[in-house]
Amino acid sequence: MAPIPTPPTEPGDSPDAYVGLAADRAEHLARERGWSSVRALAPGTIVTMEYRVGRLNFEVRDGRVARAWKG
């Protein structure tokens, strides 16, 4: 039987650190800090509840991050 893989670790920064930043700056900073996947979403966008290790989500309003969360 194959061993259970160990998921990669996520960067240690808080998603709250991105709130208020310009969306393009926030994405660049998140990738610099090691997030493997970054996605910007419009307010009210329907998303699945699937949690993906290493993904950072941004809700973007008027070009700025209004909310950020992992997964």
Side-chain angles (χ1 to χ4, degrees):
M1 194 160 125
I4 297 173
T6 304
T9 58
E10 294 180 326
D13 64 337
S14 169
D16 293 336
Y18 298 93
V19 175
L21 297 177
D24 57 343
R25 173 69 182 134
E27 181 176 351
H28 179 76
L29 189 58
R31 292 189 188 284
E32 267 186 0
R33 292 180 176 173
W35 292 97
S36 57
S37 177
V38 179
R39 66 179 176 175
L41 305 163
T45 299
I46 297 171
V47 296
T48 65
M49 295 300 292
E50 172 189 23
Y51 187 89
R52 304 234 9 223
V53 174
R55 178 168 65 191
L56 190 60
N57 301 289
F58 296 141
E59 181 179 292
V60 178
R61 288 187 197 145
D62 300 322
R64 297 214 167 264
V65 177
R67 183 176 149 225
W69 67 98
K70 297 178 182 183

